[in-house]
Amino acid sequence: MPILSLIVPKHQIVLTRAFEELVDEELSSHEIQLGKHTSFSQEFRQIVDARFILKNSTSDESMALVAKSSPFASDSRRAIVVIREENFSDARKFSSNTGSDEFQVTRDMGGAMLWMDLNYNQLEVYIKFLEKRAKAAPEGSFVEIITEDEVI
């Protein structure tokens, strides 16, 4: 399953899009790569667009480990946007494992942006870029971290 993250320092946010099948190795690899990226700051906020995950094949143990070892600060606002019922419960488990009160699971991208004090117009170019990149993603698994410099 591909996981794409776009780091936008200008807005102090990481936009992440996960789709197809979520697996342990990619989830872990993504968090490690993100945390080591030179443009990343642990104080950034994050919106994870998980609306296109069709199957979650991660183990509870792996999800808990990734949640607890997140590169984000515990007071960084983060949100996961899901639409499938089975993904909603998995996202709630992930959220509770972060130990953060600044984590929201929602079914609405607009609600996540509002909670982050952002509006769609601020991020539209980045969201559309992630959508295009996702459509062009190769089959199978990969993790990609992109910065706003690659978009504009």
Side-chain angles (χ1 to χ4, degrees), residues 28-73:
S28 177
S29 175
H30 172 267
E31 293 296 296
I32 292 167
Q33 286 182 38
L34 183 62
K36 290 181 178 179
H37 200 283
T38 57
S39 295
F40 176 77
S41 172
Q42 68 176 4
E43 287 79 29
F44 285 177
R45 299 163 290 173
Q46 181 185 38
I47 297 177
V48 178
D49 184 355
R51 295 175 295 170
F52 304 99
I53 293 177
L54 302 176
K55 182 179 180 185
N56 182 357
S57 297
T58 59
S59 67
D60 288 343
E61 296 79 20
S62 178
M63 288 281 276
L65 181 62
V66 169
K68 290 174 184 168
S69 60
S70 168
F72 289 90

CSV table of all heavy atoms in Angstrom, one decimal, residues 28-73:
chain,number,residue,atom,x,y,z
A,28,SER,N,5.4,1.5,9.5
A,28,SER,CA,6.6,1.7,10.3
A,28,SER,C,7.7,2.5,9.5
A,28,SER,O,8.2,3.5,10.0
A,28,SER,CB,7.2,0.4,10.7
A,28,SER,OG,8.4,0.6,11.4
A,29,SER,N,7.9,2.1,8.3
A,29,SER,CA,8.9,2.7,7.4
A,29,SER,C,8.5,4.2,7.2
A,29,SER,O,9.4,5.1,7.2
A,29,SER,CB,9.0,2.0,6.1
A,29,SER,OG,9.9,2.7,5.2
A,30,HIS,N,7.3,4.5,7.0
A,30,HIS,CA,6.8,5.8,6.7
A,30,HIS,C,7.1,6.7,7.9
A,30,HIS,O,7.7,7.8,7.8
A,30,HIS,CB,5.3,5.9,6.4
A,30,HIS,CG,4.8,7.3,6.4
A,30,HIS,ND1,4.2,7.9,7.5
A,30,HIS,CD2,4.7,8.2,5.4
A,30,HIS,CE1,3.9,9.1,7.2
A,30,HIS,NE2,4.2,9.3,5.9
A,31,GLU,N,6.8,6.3,9.1
A,31,GLU,CA,7.0,7.1,10.3
A,31,GLU,C,8.5,7.4,10.5
A,31,GLU,O,8.9,8.5,10.9
A,31,GLU,CB,6.4,6.4,11.6
A,31,GLU,CG,4.9,6.3,11.5
A,31,GLU,CD,4.2,7.7,11.5
A,31,GLU,OE1,4.3,8.4,12.6
A,31,GLU,OE2,3.6,8.0,10.6
A,32,ILE,N,9.3,6.4,10.3
A,32,ILE,CA,10.8,6.5,10.4
A,32,ILE,C,11.3,7.6,9.4
A,32,ILE,O,12.0,8.5,9.8
A,32,ILE,CB,11.5,5.2,10.3
A,32,ILE,CG1,11.2,4.3,11.5
A,32,ILE,CG2,13.0,5.4,10.2
A,32,ILE,CD1,11.6,2.8,11.3
A,33,GLN,N,10.9,7.4,8.1
A,33,GLN,CA,11.4,8.3,7.1
A,33,GLN,C,10.9,9.7,7.4
A,33,GLN,O,11.7,10.7,7.2
A,33,GLN,CB,10.9,7.8,5.7
A,33,GLN,CG,11.6,6.7,5.2
A,33,GLN,CD,11.1,6.3,3.8
A,33,GLN,OE1,10.8,7.1,3.0
A,33,GLN,NE2,11.0,5.0,3.5
A,34,LEU,N,9.7,9.9,7.8
A,34,LEU,CA,9.1,11.2,8.1
A,34,LEU,C,9.9,11.9,9.2
A,34,LEU,O,10.3,13.0,9.1
A,34,LEU,CB,7.6,11.1,8.4
A,34,LEU,CG,6.9,12.4,8.7
A,34,LEU,CD1,6.9,13.3,7.4
A,34,LEU,CD2,5.5,12.1,9.1
A,35,GLY,N,10.1,11.1,10.3
A,35,GLY,CA,10.8,11.7,11.4
A,35,GLY,C,12.3,12.1,11.1
A,35,GLY,O,12.8,13.1,11.7
A,36,LYS,N,12.9,11.5,10.1
A,36,LYS,CA,14.3,11.8,9.8
A,36,LYS,C,14.4,12.8,8.7
A,36,LYS,O,15.5,13.3,8.4
A,36,LYS,CB,15.0,10.5,9.3
A,36,LYS,CG,15.3,9.5,10.4
A,36,LYS,CD,16.0,8.3,9.8
A,36,LYS,CE,16.3,7.3,10.9
A,36,LYS,NZ,17.0,6.1,10.4
A,37,HIS,N,13.3,13.2,8.0
A,37,HIS,CA,13.3,14.1,6.9
A,37,HIS,C,13.7,15.5,7.4
A,37,HIS,O,13.3,16.0,8.4
A,37,HIS,CB,11.9,14.2,6.2
A,37,HIS,CG,12.0,14.8,4.9
A,37,HIS,ND1,12.2,16.1,4.6
A,37,HIS,CD2,12.0,14.2,3.6
A,37,HIS,CE1,12.3,16.3,3.3
A,37,HIS,NE2,12.2,15.1,2.7
A,38,THR,N,14.6,16.2,6.7
A,38,THR,CA,15.2,17.4,7.1
A,38,THR,C,14.1,18.6,7.1
A,38,THR,O,14.3,19.5,7.9
A,38,THR,CB,16.3,17.9,6.1
A,38,THR,OG1,15.9,17.9,4.8
A,38,THR,CG2,17.5,16.9,6.2
A,39,SER,N,13.0,18.5,6.4
A,39,SER,CA,12.0,19.5,6.4
A,39,SER,C,11.0,19.3,7.5
A,39,SER,O,10.1,20.1,7.7
A,39,SER,CB,11.3,19.5,5.0
A,39,SER,OG,12.2,19.9,4.1
A,40,PHE,N,11.0,18.1,8.2
A,40,PHE,CA,10.0,17.8,9.2
A,40,PHE,C,10.4,18.4,10.6
A,40,PHE,O,11.6,18.5,10.9
A,40,PHE,CB,10.0,16.3,9.4
A,40,PHE,CG,9.0,15.8,10.5
A,40,PHE,CD1,7.7,15.8,10.3
A,40,PHE,CD2,9.6,15.4,11.7
A,40,PHE,CE1,6.8,15.4,11.3
A,40,PHE,CE2,8.7,15.0,12.7
A,40,PHE,CZ,7.3,15.0,12.5
A,41,SER,N,9.4,18.9,11.3
A,41,SER,CA,9.5,19.3,12.6
A,41,SER,C,8.4,18.6,13.5
A,41,SER,O,7.3,18.5,13.1
A,41,SER,CB,9.3,20.8,12.7
A,41,SER,OG,9.3,21.2,14.1
A,42,GLN,N,8.8,18.1,14.6
A,42,GLN,CA,7.9,17.4,15.5
A,42,GLN,C,6.7,18.2,15.9
A,42,GLN,O,5.7,17.7,16.3
A,42,GLN,CB,8.6,16.7,16.6
A,42,GLN,CG,9.1,17.7,17.7
A,42,GLN,CD,9.7,17.0,18.8
A,42,GLN,OE1,9.8,15.7,18.9
A,42,GLN,NE2,10.2,17.7,19.8
A,43,GLU,N,6.8,19.5,15.8
A,43,GLU,CA,5.7,20.4,16.2
A,43,GLU,C,4.7,20.6,15.1
A,43,GLU,O,3.6,21.2,15.4
A,43,GLU,CB,6.2,21.8,16.7
A,43,GLU,CG,6.9,21.8,18.0
A,43,GLU,CD,8.4,21.3,17.9
A,43,GLU,OE1,9.0,21.4,16.8
A,43,GLU,OE2,8.8,20.8,18.9
A,44,PHE,N,4.9,20.1,13.9
A,44,PHE,CA,4.0,20.2,12.8
A,44,PHE,C,2.7,19.5,13.2
A,44,PHE,O,2.7,18.6,14.0
A,44,PHE,CB,4.5,19.7,11.5
A,44,PHE,CG,5.6,20.5,10.8
A,44,PHE,CD1,6.2,20.1,9.7
A,44,PHE,CD2,5.9,21.8,11.3
A,44,PHE,CE1,7.1,20.9,9.1
A,44,PHE,CE2,6.8,22.6,10.7
A,44,PHE,CZ,7.5,22.1,9.6
A,45,ARG,N,1.6,19.9,12.5
A,45,ARG,CA,0.3,19.2,12.6
A,45,ARG,C,0.3,18.2,11.5
A,45,ARG,O,1.1,18.2,10.6
A,45,ARG,CB,-0.8,20.2,12.4
A,45,ARG,CG,-0.8,21.2,13.5
A,45,ARG,CD,-1.7,22.4,13.1
A,45,ARG,NE,-1.0,23.2,12.1
A,45,ARG,CZ,-1.6,24.2,11.4
A,45,ARG,NH1,-2.8,24.6,11.7
A,45,ARG,NH2,-0.9,24.8,10.5
A,46,GLN,N,-0.7,17.2,11.5
A,46,GLN,CA,-0.8,16.2,10.4
A,46,GLN,C,-2.3,15.9,10.2
A,46,GLN,O,-3.0,15.7,11.1
A,46,GLN,CB,-0.1,15.0,10.8
A,46,GLN,CG,-0.1,13.9,9.7
A,46,GLN,CD,0.5,12.6,10.2
A,46,GLN,OE1,0.3,12.1,11.3
A,46,GLN,NE2,1.1,11.9,9.2
A,47,ILE,N,-2.6,15.8,8.9
A,47,ILE,CA,-3.9,15.2,8.5
A,47,ILE,C,-3.6,14.0,7.7
A,47,ILE,O,-2.8,14.1,6.7
A,47,ILE,CB,-4.7,16.2,7.7
A,47,ILE,CG1,-5.1,17.5,8.5
A,47,ILE,CG2,-6.0,15.5,7.2
A,47,ILE,CD1,-5.9,18.5,7.7
A,48,VAL,N,-4.1,12.9,8.1
A,48,VAL,CA,-3.9,11.6,7.4
A,48,VAL,C,-5.2,11.3,6.7
A,48,VAL,O,-6.3,11.2,7.3
A,48,VAL,CB,-3.6,10.4,8.3
A,48,VAL,CG1,-3.5,9.1,7.5
A,48,VAL,CG2,-2.3,10.7,9.1
A,49,ASP,N,-5.2,11.3,5.3
A,49,ASP,CA,-6.4,11.0,4.5
A,49,ASP,C,-6.3,9.5,4.3
A,49,ASP,O,-5.6,9.0,3.5
A,49,ASP,CB,-6.3,11.7,3.2
A,49,ASP,CG,-7.5,11.5,2.3
A,49,ASP,OD1,-8.4,10.7,2.7
A,49,ASP,OD2,-7.6,12.1,1.2
A,50,ALA,N,-7.1,8.8,5.1
A,50,ALA,CA,-7.2,7.3,5.0
A,50,ALA,C,-8.5,6.9,4.4
A,50,ALA,O,-8.9,5.7,4.6
A,50,ALA,CB,-7.0,6.7,6.4
A,51,ARG,N,-9.2,7.8,3.7
A,51,ARG,CA,-10.5,7.4,3.1
A,51,ARG,C,-10.4,6.3,2.0
A,51,ARG,O,-11.3,5.7,1.7
A,51,ARG,CB,-11.1,8.7,2.5
A,51,ARG,CG,-11.5,9.7,3.5
A,51,ARG,CD,-12.0,11.0,2.9
A,51,ARG,NE,-10.9,11.6,2.1
A,51,ARG,CZ,-11.1,12.6,1.3
A,51,ARG,NH1,-12.3,13.1,1.2
A,51,ARG,NH2,-10.1,13.1,0.7
A,52,PHE,N,-9.2,6.1,1.5
A,52,PHE,CA,-9.0,5.2,0.4
A,52,PHE,C,-8.3,3.9,0.8
A,52,PHE,O,-7.9,3.1,-0.1
A,52,PHE,CB,-8.3,5.9,-0.8
A,52,PHE,CG,-9.0,7.1,-1.2
A,52,PHE,CD1,-8.6,8.4,-0.8
A,52,PHE,CD2,-10.1,7.1,-2.0
A,52,PHE,CE1,-9.3,9.5,-1.1
A,52,PHE,CE2,-10.8,8.2,-2.3
A,52,PHE,CZ,-10.4,9.4,-1.9
A,53,ILE,N,-8.2,3.7,2.1
A,53,ILE,CA,-7.6,2.4,2.6
A,53,ILE,C,-8.8,1.3,2.4
A,53,ILE,O,-9.8,1.5,3.0
A,53,ILE,CB,-7.2,2.5,4.0
A,53,ILE,CG1,-5.9,3.4,4.1
A,53,ILE,CG2,-6.8,1.1,4.6
A,53,ILE,CD1,-5.4,3.6,5.5
A,54,LEU,N,-8.5,0.3,1.6
A,54,LEU,CA,-9.5,-0.7,1.4
A,54,LEU,C,-9.4,-1.9,2.4
A,54,LEU,O,-10.4,-2.6,2.6
A,54,LEU,CB,-9.4,-1.2,0.0
A,54,LEU,CG,-9.6,-0.1,-1.1
A,54,LEU,CD1,-9.4,-0.7,-2.5
A,54,LEU,CD2,-10.9,0.5,-1.0
A,55,LYS,N,-8.2,-2.1,2.9
A,55,LYS,CA,-7.9,-3.2,3.8
A,55,LYS,C,-6.8,-2.8,4.8
A,55,LYS,O,-5.8,-2.4,4.3
A,55,LYS,CB,-7.5,-4.4,3.0
A,55,LYS,CG,-7.3,-5.7,3.8
A,55,LYS,CD,-6.9,-6.9,2.9
A,55,LYS,CE,-6.7,-8.1,3.8
A,55,LYS,NZ,-6.3,-9.2,3.0
A,56,ASN,N,-7.1,-3.1,6.0
A,56,ASN,CA,-6.0,-2.9,7.0
A,56,ASN,C,-5.5,-4.2,7.5
A,56,ASN,O,-6.1,-5.0,8.2
A,56,ASN,CB,-6.6,-2.1,8.2
A,56,ASN,CG,-5.5,-1.8,9.3
A,56,ASN,OD1,-4.4,-2.2,9.1
A,56,ASN,ND2,-5.9,-1.1,10.3
A,57,SER,N,-4.3,-4.5,7.0
A,57,SER,CA,-3.6,-5.8,7.4
A,57,SER,C,-2.6,-5.6,8.5
A,57,SER,O,-1.7,-6.5,8.6
A,57,SER,CB,-3.0,-6.4,6.1
A,57,SER,OG,-3.9,-6.7,5.1
A,58,THR,N,-2.6,-4.5,9.2
A,58,THR,CA,-1.6,-4.3,10.2
A,58,THR,C,-2.0,-5.1,11.5
A,58,THR,O,-3.2,-5.3,11.7
A,58,THR,CB,-1.5,-2.8,10.6
A,58,THR,OG1,-2.7,-2.3,11.0
A,58,THR,CG2,-1.0,-2.0,9.4
A,59,SER,N,-1.1,-5.4,12.3
A,59,SER,CA,-1.3,-6.1,13.6
A,59,SER,C,-1.6,-5.0,14.6
A,59,SER,O,-1.1,-3.9,14.5
A,59,SER,CB,-0.2,-6.9,14.0
A,59,SER,OG,0.9,-6.1,14.3
A,60,ASP,N,-2.4,-5.4,15.6
A,60,ASP,CA,-2.6,-4.5,16.7
A,60,ASP,C,-1.3,-4.0,17.4
A,60,ASP,O,-1.2,-2.9,17.8
A,60,ASP,CB,-3.6,-5.1,17.8
A,60,ASP,CG,-5.0,-5.2,17.3
A,60,ASP,OD1,-5.3,-4.5,16.3
A,60,ASP,OD2,-5.8,-6.0,17.9
A,61,GLU,N,-0.4,-5.0,17.5
A,61,GLU,CA,0.9,-4.7,18.2
A,61,GLU,C,1.7,-3.7,17.4
A,61,GLU,O,2.3,-2.7,17.9
A,61,GLU,CB,1.7,-6.0,18.3
A,61,GLU,CG,1.1,-7.0,19.2
A,61,GLU,CD,0.0,-7.8,18.6
A,61,GLU,OE1,-0.1,-7.9,17.3
A,61,GLU,OE2,-0.8,-8.4,19.3
A,62,SER,N,1.7,-3.8,16.1
A,62,SER,CA,2.5,-2.9,15.2
A,62,SER,C,1.8,-1.5,15.2
A,62,SER,O,2.5,-0.5,15.3
A,62,SER,CB,2.5,-3.4,13.8
A,62,SER,OG,3.2,-2.5,12.9
A,63,MET,N,0.5,-1.5,15.1
A,63,MET,CA,-0.2,-0.2,15.2
A,63,MET,C,0.1,0.6,16.5
A,63,MET,O,0.3,1.8,16.5
A,63,MET,CB,-1.7,-0.4,15.0
A,63,MET,CG,-2.1,-0.8,13.6
A,63,MET,SD,-2.2,0.6,12.5
A,63,MET,CE,-3.8,1.2,12.9
A,64,ALA,N,0.1,-0.2,17.6
A,64,ALA,CA,0.3,0.4,18.9
A,64,ALA,C,1.8,0.9,19.0
A,64,ALA,O,2.0,2.0,19.5
A,64,ALA,CB,0.1,-0.6,20.0
A,65,LEU,N,2.7,0.2,18.5
A,65,LEU,CA,4.1,0.6,18.5
A,65,LEU,C,4.4,1.8,17.7
A,65,LEU,O,5.0,2.8,18.1
A,65,LEU,CB,5.0,-0.6,18.0
A,65,LEU,CG,6.5,-0.3,18.0
A,65,LEU,CD1,7.0,-0.1,19.4
A,65,LEU,CD2,7.2,-1.5,17.3
A,66,VAL,N,3.8,1.9,16.5
A,66,VAL,CA,3.9,3.0,15.6
A,66,VAL,C,3.3,4.3,16.3
A,66,VAL,O,3.8,5.3,16.3
A,66,VAL,CB,3.4,2.8,14.2
A,66,VAL,CG1,3.3,4.0,13.4
A,66,VAL,CG2,4.2,1.7,13.5
A,67,ALA,N,2.1,4.1,16.8
A,67,ALA,CA,1.4,5.2,17.5
A,67,ALA,C,2.2,5.7,18.7
A,67,ALA,O,2.3,7.0,18.8
A,67,ALA,CB,0.0,4.7,18.0
A,68,LYS,N,2.8,4.9,19.4
A,68,LYS,CA,3.6,5.3,20.6
A,68,LYS,C,5.0,5.9,20.3
A,68,LYS,O,5.5,6.7,21.0
A,68,LYS,CB,3.8,4.1,21.6
A,68,LYS,CG,2.5,3.7,22.2
A,68,LYS,CD,2.7,2.5,23.1
A,68,LYS,CE,1.3,2.0,23.6
A,68,LYS,NZ,1.3,0.7,24.2
A,69,SER,N,5.5,5.5,19.1
A,69,SER,CA,6.8,6.0,18.7
A,69,SER,C,6.7,7.0,17.6
A,69,SER,O,7.7,7.2,16.8
A,69,SER,CB,7.7,4.8,18.3
A,69,SER,OG,7.1,4.2,17.2
A,70,SER,N,5.6,7.7,17.5
A,70,SER,CA,5.4,8.7,16.4
A,70,SER,C,6.5,9.8,16.5
A,70,SER,O,6.9,10.2,17.6
A,70,SER,CB,4.0,9.4,16.6
A,70,SER,OG,3.9,10.5,15.8
A,71,PRO,N,6.9,10.3,15.3
A,71,PRO,CA,7.9,11.4,15.4
A,71,PRO,C,7.2,12.8,15.8
A,71,PRO,O,8.0,13.7,16.0
A,71,PRO,CB,8.4,11.5,13.9
A,71,PRO,CG,7.3,10.9,13.1
A,71,PRO,CD,6.6,9.9,14.0
A,72,PHE,N,5.9,12.9,15.9
A,72,PHE,CA,5.2,14.1,16.2
A,72,PHE,C,5.3,14.3,17.8
A,72,PHE,O,5.2,13.3,18.5
A,72,PHE,CB,3.8,14.1,15.8
A,72,PHE,CG,3.6,14.2,14.3
A,72,PHE,CD1,3.6,13.0,13.5
A,72,PHE,CD2,3.5,15.4,13.7
A,72,PHE,CE1,3.5,13.1,12.1
A,72,PHE,CE2,3.4,15.5,12.3
A,72,PHE,CZ,3.4,14.4,11.5
A,73,ALA,N,5.3,15.5,18.2
A,73,ALA,CA,5.2,15.9,19.6
A,73,ALA,C,3.8,15.5,20.1
A,73,ALA,O,2.9,15.5,19.3
A,73,ALA,CB,5.5,17.4,19.8
